[in-house]
Amino acid sequence: MSFPKHLLDFQGWSRAQIESLLETARLMQEVLARPVKKVPALTGFTVATVFFEPSTRTRISFELAARRMSADVVSFAGATSSTAKGETYRDTLRTLDQMGIDAYILRTDAAGVPHQAHRWLKKPVINAGDGWRAHPTQALLDAFTLLERLGSLEGKKIAIVGDILHSRVARSNAELLPRLGAQVVACGPATLLPAHLPGASLTTRLQEALEEADAVMVLRLQKERMDRGLLPSIPEYIAGYQLTEARLAWAKPEAPLLHPGPMNRDVELEGTLADSTRSLVERQVANGQAVRMAVLYHVLVGKQ
Amino acid sequence: MKGEILIKNVTLVDSQGTHGQADVLVGEGRIISLAGGEAAQVVEAAGLYLSPGFLDPHAHLREPGQEVKEDLCSGLTAAARGGYTDVVSMPNTTPPIDRPEAVAALKSRARAIGQARLHPAAALTQGQEGQLLTEARLIKEAGAVLLTDDGRTNEDAGVLALGLRYAASVGLPVAVHAEDAGLRRGGVMHEGEVSFRLGLPGNPAYAESARIARDLEVVRYLTEELGVRAEGHSLLHFQHLSTRRGLELIRQAKREGLPVSAEVTPHHLTLTDRYLERLEPLYKVAPPLRTEADRRALLEGLLEGSLDCVGTDHAPHTADEKELDLLRAPFGIPSLEVAWPLLYTELVEKEGFPLPTLLERFTDGPRRLLGLPPIRLEEGAEASLVLWAPRLKRPVEPRTFASKARYSPWAGWQLQGWPVMTLVKGRVVFADLLDYRP
């Protein structure tokens, strides 16, 4: 099976390709369980993480994933350097490209930059988050973690709760999970909910979203939403949408809890829930590395 | 009779229809004869159409202050190549055109350049700040034809009402970019299914229609209660309509006899928000590309005349700026050089839109907005004309643009109807007959 030479979103990725990629992630998980967590699969390849928007966790996850497969890694944090001086993304990327980079891992605050980069560079580009639009590796690691716990996603109801309007995690999950058979319900305050979200049904009622849910994904609430007047206050949000022990009881018993992080404890969810046995938050982080190893392997080497 | 140019065997076509073949003799700035004669230069024009020159009521030529994007020379040359003999330039330059001296300086520089004629629009308010009115009378004497704060929309309806009353009293129309800033918020594309999917901040359709409704109420009050009259021109002109609902409001207002007019751009007639799925800032424009239903409604509005004219909203930027991301790239599409072949191909050839009606919207319609009489293809008429090739097909090639903005959302589109010669008062300002292969 051949694979697309990029991961901008899931367009161009079939269900079979996605399942095969998740299967590779399982193999990578085994590598990560070994005492020496390193394989030579990407020896000789150079991978660049280019983050025009700051993110420590995702960048480290990608960099470790690349290093564990013996790739050379360079990282570029653009948010405070060249772009602030007026250099365009295109110039920055073209400059890097003169240094023999084989694949780019790109994060930006604006939708579409990974597509633009792919057009400019004609090299593998992995989208590590573009604006509110897509964060495909996050969705893959969420799917991987859910599959680990639930066995299959066929017919499973997954609730996503929080600021859906500004969430690339919600969009990518709504794109990916239904392809694996799941049904996605997105829930949040009316001002933080788009009118349409392909792949998901929408509701402002938390109980409706959680009832009979097989898993619950909680998103981070950003304070910026209050500054822009989209939410009256944090207590107002908590009153309607904070995930509490009592509200989680609406979901199926043992339904696991996911969060893409970083968490605001006691805002979008009760702090104690994050540490409970139902929480898969740490598992998500661990799986993130295996999934990113699999993605790098597929876009660079291409064949199984 | 002796003339300067004889255009032989050309088909005459204007807003009134097609008038058959003629040998058009042009001299001393006028059409001397439609029955031939002697001339210094003879153009064999069988298979070509001759029409009155186009007037663009809405172009951004960027001078002064933003010459890196465009200047009068590149902009007016682009216009001439697009078949335009006359261009209204927007005042949102750096600094804005808000003084009579600035208007006079633009006029004089454009005369020296000698391409398409320039008709400056000036700011409605000082500094386009939406507070104090500009010197409309002196500005008109200096040569301005229109007042507008354009992209800087007059949020204060009281200022708009004062401006409309004053402008009407000195005989100038006012144009507005109708968009409610509060409803638009940070929108970079049409708010709808596509923007939600792409996770891009949306600009909802009612940001336009809510604002049009308010402005129409201002016009209604001024005309019905205060007796304000616009003599021979539009009182309030709505720029670049983009929504079906906005169009419905204008259609209704016109039925009721309000003295308003409206324009539509080539991009809103040929593109929709689906193009943004390409995640390419080329398609970022204000107001945004809307849905197919809006596009079809605009076509209908152009056909029936609720939309009086086509305005390009030619808005050049540097290629570097347009290669930024979708949040940071500036709004705007350059279109002076392609507007006519684009709409001729996409509307007349493909959709069966009547050619005379499209010509009306490029010629008489925009002239009426400014209170100018139409140009007729008859002896004695001003020889501001465009010769164009209805069968000449070639792709849009931005690298050949005279405009400094050498990119286009229509790059590669096969278009026909390209202008091959433009005359301003009998003087050839553009000729590319090499491109004409009958």
Side-chain angles (χ1 to χ4, degrees), chain A residues 132-271:
Chain A
W132 311 339
R133 198 187 71 90
H135 194 354
T137 59
Q138 178 71 41
L140 284 168
L141 76 88
D142 291 338
F144 187 82
T145 307
L146 284 166
L147 283 167
E148 218 176 31
R149 175 62 73 97
L150 303 174
S152 153
L153 294 185
E154 209 59 60
K156 297 292 188 335
K157 175 180 175 182
I158 316 291
I160 305 178
V161 181
D163 177 358
I164 308 296
L165 182 63
H166 303 98
S167 173
R168 53 191 169 212
V169 175
R171 277 183 185 76
S172 279
N173 270 295
E175 194 184 0
L176 179 66
L177 298 179
R179 290 215 210 170
L180 301 172
Q183 171 209 347
V184 176
V185 182
C187 174
T191 48
L192 296 180
L193 213 52
H196 319 269
L197 181 66
S201 58
L202 297 165
T203 178
T204 56
R205 294 165 211 269
L206 188 58
Q207 187 169 351
E208 188 183 311
L210 294 185
E211 261 169 3
E212 295 302 307
D214 293 282
V216 183
M217 187 182 297
V218 181
L219 303 177
R220 186 162 68 98
L221 186 69
Q222 285 170 291
K223 202 174 166 298
E224 185 215 328
R225 306 298 166 226
M226 265 131 282
D227 300 340
R228 291 197 57 216
L230 293 171
L231 265 186
S233 72
I234 295 270
E236 175 79 10
Y237 181 82
I238 288 173
Y241 297 95
Q242 185 187 63
L243 194 69
T244 62
E245 200 91 46
R247 286 168 170 173
L248 189 55
W250 287 326
K252 283 193 180 156
E254 302 307 309
L257 176 64
L258 291 87
H259 192 303
M263 266 187 288
N264 300 308
R265 280 169 188 268
D266 296 314
V267 178
E268 59 261 11
L269 80 177
E270 271 181 349

Side-chain angles (χ1 to χ4, degrees), chain B residues 367-379:
Chain B
R367 294 177 71 88
R368 200 165 53 240
L369 148 73
L370 302 177
L372 300 170
I375 293 176
R376 295 278 170 250
L377 298 170
E378 55 197 23
E379 289 175 8

Side-chain angles (χ1 to χ4, degrees), chain B residues 164-196:
Chain B
L164 283 170
R165 286 179 74 178
Y166 195 77
S169 76
V170 303
L172 281 177
V174 171
V176 288
H177 172 142
E179 190 169 63
D180 185 294
L183 296 177
R184 180 187 65 204
R185 291 200 138 203
V188 302
M189 69 172 290
H190 172 65
E191 181 180 285
E193 201 194 318
V194 181
S195 74
F196 291 130

Side-chain angles (χ1 to χ4, degrees), chain B residues 362-427:
Chain B
F362 269 76
T363 58
D364 306 356
R367 294 177 71 88
R368 200 165 53 240
L369 148 73
L370 302 177
L372 300 170
I375 293 176
R376 295 278 170 250
L377 298 170
E378 55 197 23
E379 289 175 8
E382 178 187 309
S384 291
L385 307 164
V386 55
L387 185 65
W388 55 284
R391 303 262 75 81
L392 171 63
K393 268 190 204 178
R394 60 178 171 86
V396 176
E397 289 182 81
R399 65 186 171 81
T400 67
F401 283 178
S403 168
K404 291 184 179 180
R406 296 201 174 105
Y407 54 83
S408 170
W410 303 288
W413 287 33
Q414 279 289 339
L415 302 181
Q416 61 189 92
W418 293 90
V420 293
M421 184 182 261
T422 307
L423 297 102
V424 174
K425 277 198 137 179
R427 196 166 43 82

Side-chain angles (χ1 to χ4, degrees), chain B residues 219-232:
Chain B
V219 171
R220 187 185 308 278
Y221 185 82
L222 295 182
T223 53
E224 291 176 3
E225 299 295 323
L226 303 185
V228 171
R229 290 283 168 269
E231 303 295 341

Side-chain angles (χ1 to χ4, degrees), chain B residues 29-309:
Chain B
R30 312 225 147 248
I31 295 176
I32 298 174
S33 158
L34 299 177
E38 251 183 77
Q41 187 190 350
V42 178
V43 176
E44 175 50 59
L48 296 181
Y49 284 0
L50 187 69
S51 302
F54 309 142
L55 187 153
D56 184 3
H58 188 169
H60 297 269
L61 301 185
R62 305 299 190 201
E63 188 175 326
Q66 301 155 25
E67 288 86 349
V68 64
K69 297 172 190 264
E70 193 83 286
D71 57 37
L72 286 185
C73 186
S74 62
L76 293 172
T77 305
R81 294 175 57 155
Y84 288 94
T85 51
D86 300 87
V87 178
V88 178
S89 61
M90 290 298 113
N92 63 338
T93 48
T94 315
I97 305 301
D98 64 353
R99 304 265 312 140
E101 305 82 69
V103 173
L106 279 183
K107 288 283 287 185
S108 121
R109 214 172 108 58
R111 264 195 302 273
I113 289 165
Q115 287 281 333
R117 283 179 295 207
L118 181 75
H119 307 274
L124 178 68
T125 63
Q126 295 174 31
Q128 288 195 305
E129 284 168 359
Q131 291 172 9
L132 302 170
L133 298 183
T134 50
E135 301 160 311
R137 187 179 304 277
L138 296 171
I139 277 173
K140 187 185 181 193
E141 282 170 13
V145 296
L146 181 78
L147 297 175
T148 181
D149 284 344
D150 187 46
R152 310 264 305 262
T153 63
N154 307 90
E155 290 309 324
D156 187 329
V159 173
L160 178 66
L162 285 177
L164 283 170
R165 286 179 74 178
Y166 195 77
S169 76
V170 303
L172 281 177
V174 171
V176 288
H177 172 142
E179 190 169 63
D180 185 294
L183 296 177
R184 180 187 65 204
R185 291 200 138 203
V188 302
M189 69 172 290
H190 172 65
E191 181 180 285
E193 201 194 318
V194 181
S195 74
F196 291 130
R197 179 152 35 88
L198 298 183
L200 282 167
N203 173 338
Y206 82 130
E208 176 173 285
S209 54
R211 182 56 192 273
I212 289 174
R214 184 200 82 171
D215 289 357
L216 287 173
E217 282 302 287
V218 172
V219 171
R220 187 185 308 278
Y221 185 82
L222 295 182
T223 53
E224 291 176 3
E225 299 295 323
L226 303 185
V228 171
R229 290 283 168 269
E231 303 295 341
H233 56 82
S234 175
L235 181 67
L236 180 60
H237 175 71
F238 292 99
Q239 298 173 314
H240 45 47
L241 256 282
S242 71
T243 63
R244 178 169 52 170
R245 181 66 192 137
L247 172 66
E248 277 167 19
L249 291 167
I250 286 168
R251 177 186 291 139
Q252 184 59 29
K254 286 184 147 194
R255 269 192 203 131
E256 292 167 19
L258 293 187
V260 296
S261 56
E263 77 194 19
V264 62
T265 71
H267 45 272
H268 289 108
L269 290 169
T270 55
L271 305 170
T272 66
D273 64 340
R274 300 300 298 264
Y275 281 85
L276 270 300
E277 288 175 342
R278 302 178 183 191
L279 294 164
E280 184 48 86
L282 272 184
Y283 303 96
K284 183 176 171 185
V285 65
L289 301 174
R290 304 279 183 186
T291 66
E292 178 62 13
D294 290 303
R295 191 187 76 85
R296 303 252 26 131
L298 295 173
L299 264 178
E300 190 57 39
L302 189 70
L303 180 67
E304 74 189 14
S306 299
L307 299 173
D308 302 78
C309 51

Side-chain angles (χ1 to χ4, degrees), chain A residues 22-36:
Chain A
L22 294 175
E23 188 52 46
T24 309
R26 237 162 259 139
L27 301 175
M28 297 303 176
Q29 218 177 11
E30 285 169 24
V31 171
L32 293 173
R34 294 178 197 166
V36 177

